[in-house]
Amino acid sequence: MSPAGCPHVTCFKVDNWKQNLRAIYQCFVWSGSAETRKRKAKSCICHMCGAHLSRLHSCLYCVFFACFAKKHIHEHAKSKRHNLAIDLLYGGIYCFMCQDYIYDKDMEQIAKEEQRKAWKMQGLRGLINLGNTCFMNCIVQALTHTPLLRDFFLSDRHKCEMQSNSCLVCEMSQLFQEFYSGHRSPHIPFRLLHLVWTHARHLAGYEQQDAHEFLIAALDVLHRHCKDDNGKKANNPNHCNCIIDQIFTGGLQSDVTCQVCHGVSTTIDPFWDISLDLPGSSTPFWPLSPGGDGSTLNGESHATGATTLTDCLRRFTRPEHLGSSAKIKCSGCHSYQESTKQLTMKKLPIVACFHLKRFEHSAKLRRKITTYVSFPLELDMTPFMASSKESRTNGQYQQTVEPFNNDNKYSLFAVVNHQGTLESGHYTTFIRQHKDQWFKCDDAIITKASMEAVLDSEGYLLFYHKQFLEYE
């Protein structure tokens, strides 16, 4: 593209092009009102493969939606000679002749004006505390700001076969409608609390509960109340296509290696979250100093001596010697042998939730671990994949020269924090909106937050979204 800019936009700038471009931004990119958000969620699918994912773009000439990652929008551009398309995530204009995103002063002005209008209409909404229910409120804030989950509920894609007053999916659908209605007064989630008590009786009562435990219980009930695409009840987490499993389910690979014949037994189990041990717990954390190999992953450094999220993941995926008291029967040796066990990620979920194990419960000890853990805005999970070629011996990595896979890169979008002690505490959530704006949700009170405040927080639950599927 020449320094003067893209020469191909002049073909688009005819007749009512400004009005048409504004309409596209209003209806399919920024989507400020509840009505336009619902329209976007229903209509923005690839016209070739039907996918909601894969970086959707819209043709500027005929409003044709198609995948960018799968090059379906490229095929349309070539066949129709429609050279300009708009990214429905960030609103950038792509020229297929220049083969790049382009800048045009007039188009950029329209984009900014429509974005400002939309942001004014997207009011964040607080939640009333119904008596020690901050554990529920903080998870609701994280879930309602999960992009793909939001679009599922706003597009009315749930077909209920239960009584609506007993279905948690129906209630979550109503909750999303309330959140994106434009109302700014705090919402009272009494129906949600009642359904949680009904379907997860261990959480019933007005005592303070664990936010992590509520998250898993909520996902489990939502999963059971959903249907897969074939209309069958989603009772098997290994064979389910419900929205919960599409977004949150990953595959954890466990390799058990015999120390005699070196035969490997592999199993793969589904997971909704990864629970990570912390320094300061009764479980030995790290045999070496954090980052002792001198490497830096995910932009994290150990200049202050702080433990990082990468350290916790290294520990989680390092080989563990099971010892003589936990011998396994080796299928190769046909006898019980000592072995090592190693966990890695076989399949990554769209949304990765990391649970920092701050609450320690044992026969001798009940306490909260306040160790500070540094976590990044952007996370690359490639080193922790089963297919990764990094060496994990003793937690040390020999990084290969191959570039990291973009499919494994994540962006932080929500952080749940716990203040106080094990016996008396309070939960809050930081949530991200509009790519780089952060807000603190403290029950009914919503306040603007700085990125520094988010990254300096203690962290209890960390929510990351796959970058190549991410959109506002």
Side-chain angles (χ1 to χ4, degrees):
M1 189 168 64
S2 69
C6 173
H8 308 106
V9 296
T10 54
C11 297
F12 174 74
K13 291 183 174 181
V14 294
D15 299 329
N16 299 319
W17 75 270
K18 289 186 178 181
Q19 182 179 344
N20 294 337
L21 186 60
R22 286 186 187 278
I24 293 173
Y25 273 113
Q26 290 170 5
C27 297
F28 304 118
V29 182
W30 307 132
S31 305
S33 69
E35 181 182 348
T36 55
R37 277 192 163 299
K38 184 176 290 189
R39 185 189 301 125
K40 178 179 179 179
K42 284 185 175 180
S43 59
C44 288
I45 61 173
C46 177
H47 288 174
M48 290 190 179
C49 69
H52 282 263
L53 314 177
S54 303
R55 290 180 59 198
L56 283 178
H57 282 56
S58 170
C59 174
L60 283 186
Y61 294 89
C62 62
V63 196
F64 178 92
F65 303 128
C67 303
F68 191 91
K70 297 179 181 178
K71 295 191 179 298
H72 290 159
I73 192 68
H74 299 68
E75 295 175 24
H76 171 80
K78 184 177 181 180
S79 64
K80 299 293 184 180
R81 296 185 179 180
H82 292 172
N83 298 324
L84 297 177
I86 185 170
D87 179 356
L88 298 185
L89 169 53
Y90 296 126
I93 307 294
Y94 188 87
C95 176
F96 293 95
M97 298 296 289
C98 298
Q99 297 183 23
D100 201 356
Y101 289 95
I102 62 171
Y103 173 82
D104 178 84
K105 184 179 180 181
D106 297 332
M107 289 180 163
E108 182 71 10
Q109 182 64 28
I110 291 173
K112 288 184 176 180
E113 289 174 1
E114 296 304 323
Q115 186 182 51
R116 283 194 291 267
K117 290 179 186 176
W119 285 5
K120 289 179 181 178
M121 300 173 70
Q122 295 175 12
L124 290 162
R125 198 162 188 189
L127 292 163
I128 296 295
N129 191 315
L130 301 175
N132 286 328
T133 57
C134 58
F135 70 92
M136 177 180 74
N137 290 349
C138 69
I139 298 301
V140 169
Q141 292 288 0
L143 294 179
T144 51
H145 290 90
T146 301
L148 294 180
L149 196 62
R150 176 197 64 208
D151 282 2
F152 172 84
F153 283 112
L154 291 183
S155 59
D156 297 325
R157 284 154 59 194
H158 170 58
K159 307 302 180 185
C160 186
E161 292 185 350
M162 302 174 60
Q163 292 182 353
S164 59
N165 60 359
S166 64
C167 176
L168 186 62
V169 184
C170 290
E171 177 55 32
M172 284 298 293
S173 181
Q174 182 60 37
L175 191 66
F176 272 85
Q177 302 294 336
E178 291 286 347
F179 259 76
Y180 293 97
S181 65
H183 298 306
R184 295 182 180 274
S185 58
H187 179 65
I188 306 173
F190 64 93
R191 288 193 301 270
L192 177 65
L193 182 64
H194 171 72
L195 284 174
V196 169
W197 285 359
T198 301
H199 297 292
R201 295 189 177 278
H202 61 290
L203 297 176
Y206 287 102
E207 298 83 9
Q208 179 65 273
Q209 303 289 349
D210 181 10
H212 173 248
E213 192 173 357
F214 176 82
L215 170 66
I216 299 304
L219 292 179
D220 177 59
V221 177
L222 288 170
H223 165 74
R224 287 189 279 116
H225 290 188
C226 276
K227 296 189 305 181
D228 65 19
D229 288 345
N230 298 318
K232 298 177 182 178
K233 286 293 181 181
N235 292 322
N236 187 345
N238 295 302
H239 301 88
C240 179
N241 197 37
C242 76
I243 190 64
I244 299 302
D245 282 288
Q246 287 183 49
I247 296 174
F248 294 96
T249 298
L252 188 65
Q253 179 168 317
S254 173
D255 294 316
V256 178
T257 305
C258 174
Q259 294 299 283
V260 176
C261 71
H262 302 293
V264 180
S265 173
T266 298
T267 57
I268 300 172
D269 295 305
F271 69 87
W272 282 331
D273 73 313
I274 296 293
S275 293
L276 300 171
D277 289 317
L278 303 180
S281 69
S282 57
T283 304
F285 180 79
W286 202 254
L288 306 167
S289 61
D293 59 344
S295 66
T296 299
L297 288 174
N298 293 312
E300 299 168 312
S301 68
H302 298 83
T304 61
T307 301
T308 68
L309 177 61
T310 299
D311 287 334
C312 297
L313 287 166
R314 281 172 167 167
R315 185 193 183 282
F316 184 80
T317 57
R318 71 178 182 182
E320 176 189 2
H321 183 65
L322 298 182
S324 58
S325 61
K327 291 184 177 180
I328 55 122
K329 188 168 185 179
C330 175
S331 57
C333 300
H334 302 291
S335 61
Y336 286 92
Q337 304 289 355
E338 292 190 23
S339 61
T340 60
K341 179 181 179 180
Q342 184 172 18
L343 299 175
T344 51
M345 310 296 163
K346 178 65 175 179
K347 173 182 174 292
L348 290 173
I350 292 175
V351 169
C353 176
F354 299 103
H355 165 226
L356 305 184
K357 294 165 68 174
R358 296 200 173 277
F359 303 132
E360 190 168 37
H361 303 272
S362 65
K364 299 180 179 179
L365 198 61
R366 291 183 72 255
R367 63 182 180 128
K368 179 184 176 183
I369 299 167
T370 58
T371 304
Y372 174 71
V373 175
S374 170
F375 49 89
L377 286 173
E378 296 186 347
L379 176 69
D380 195 322
M381 289 293 290
T382 304
F384 313 109
M385 298 296 294
S387 58
S388 173
K389 295 181 180 179
E390 276 78 13
S391 167
R392 292 187 178 84
T393 306
N394 248 351
Q396 303 300 293
Y397 286 76
Q398 297 296 322
Q399 188 169 314
T400 65
V401 295
E402 293 183 9
F404 280 177
N405 191 335
N406 285 332
D407 289 358
N408 302 333
K409 291 183 178 179
Y410 287 81
S411 293
L412 183 72
F413 75 94
V415 178
V416 171
N417 283 293
H418 178 271
Q419 294 84 35
T421 64
L422 194 64
E423 290 76 21
S424 176
H426 181 63
Y427 288 102
T428 59
T429 306
F430 286 112
I431 61 99
R432 192 194 73 192
Q433 272 205 333
H434 316 313
K435 191 177 180 180
D436 58 359
Q437 292 195 44
W438 287 89
F439 295 86
K440 183 179 182 180
C441 305
D442 187 350
D443 287 332
I445 301 172
I446 309 292
T447 54
K448 191 82 179 287
S450 67
M451 191 179 297
E452 291 74 22
V454 176
L455 297 178
D456 287 343
S457 65
E458 191 175 79
Y460 179 50
L461 299 173
L462 309 175
F463 293 84
Y464 285 85
H465 197 291
K466 273 196 175 182
Q467 288 183 357
F468 82 102
L469 293 178
E470 186 176 26
Y471 59 98
E472 296 297 326

